[in-house]
Amino acid sequence: MSDEFFVKVRRAIGFDGLISIIIGAFILFLPGRSARTVAGMMGAALIAAGLFKLLSVFKKDSVNGTTRLGHLISSVIYIVAGLFIFIDMQAAAVSLILVVGILTGMAWLIEGIIQLTILNQISTNKFWSILSAVISVLGGLSLLFSPLLGGILVWTFFGVTLLIIGIFKIIQYVTLKK
């Protein structure tokens, strides 16, 4: 490995570690503000996507009127959704946390069901397979019945994870020698 490549890789690890620490600390110590920031970024992305779709309506190479109408309707929906996020950032942040909780709960529930039905059939050790499936199902159900609390816990866990990963990457950056 060349010295130049090594320096670039080492620098990328250090930069990634620093960014992970900053974002993890932001999520962990300012969870409401970080959720509002992410919601704002999503609102800006929705508005931008809506504007680009709206521009495609006025292109001459559009296929037919139905396509144009579909693009027009979806662009208006995107723009309105983005504007609603900016109108009430606090509600958008709570909604984001709810979505995180609900989607994580659904993923865990589906994973548990798949483990019970499919993986349990091919597993050599049924006890661990069933235990893992039951934990996934119970965790998924608990998140679905309390998505706000679950979303806050998942959001906090995400911040802690980023912080720990960032610290380890900084240690790797400092100790990495050629």
Side-chain angles (χ1 to χ4, degrees):
M1 174 172 27
S2 71
D3 288 339
E4 182 181 335
F5 180 72
F6 174 79
V7 168
K8 286 181 181 180
V9 167
R10 184 174 179 263
R11 195 175 299 146
I13 290 170
F15 182 73
D16 186 32
L18 184 63
I19 295 299
S20 294
I21 287 173
I22 291 169
I23 294 172
F26 185 52
I27 290 171
L28 191 59
F29 298 116
L30 299 169
R33 183 172 285 172
S34 63
R36 284 191 301 275
T37 300
V38 171
M41 290 171 24
M42 290 173 63
L46 285 170
I47 291 171
L51 291 174
F52 282 118
K53 279 195 164 296
L54 188 61
L55 290 176
S56 74
V57 170
F58 299 108
K59 285 186 178 178
K60 292 185 184 210
D61 60 347
S62 289
V63 180
N64 57 33
T66 306
T67 304
R68 285 180 195 227
L69 180 62
H71 282 283
L72 179 64
I73 291 170
S74 64
S75 67
V76 169
I77 291 170
Y78 282 153
I79 292 169
V80 169
L83 290 174
F84 272 124
I85 288 174
F86 284 111
I87 289 171
D88 191 352
M89 294 288 284
Q90 186 64 34
V94 170
S95 298
L96 174 68
I97 297 297
L98 283 170
V99 167
V100 166
I102 291 169
L103 291 179
T104 305
M106 288 172 51
W108 287 354
L109 182 62
I110 292 168
E111 177 186 355
I113 292 169
I114 289 172
Q115 283 180 336
L116 279 173
T117 57
I118 298 170
L119 296 179
N120 191 33
Q121 294 175 6
I122 61 174
S123 178
T124 56
N125 189 340
K126 303 274 189 224
F127 174 77
W128 293 111
S129 180
I130 291 172
L131 181 64
S132 174
V134 168
I135 290 171
S136 290
V137 167
L138 291 176
L141 288 173
S142 68
L143 283 175
L144 290 175
F145 284 118
S146 180
L148 185 58
L149 177 61
I152 290 169
L153 290 173
V154 171
W155 190 253
T156 303
F157 179 74
F158 180 56
V160 169
T161 303
L162 278 175
L163 193 60
I164 291 170
I165 288 171
I167 290 169
F168 279 111
K169 286 189 180 213
I170 293 296
I171 291 170
Q172 184 181 18
Y173 169 79
V174 171
T175 59
L176 197 60
K177 305 246 189 286
K178 178 140 170 123

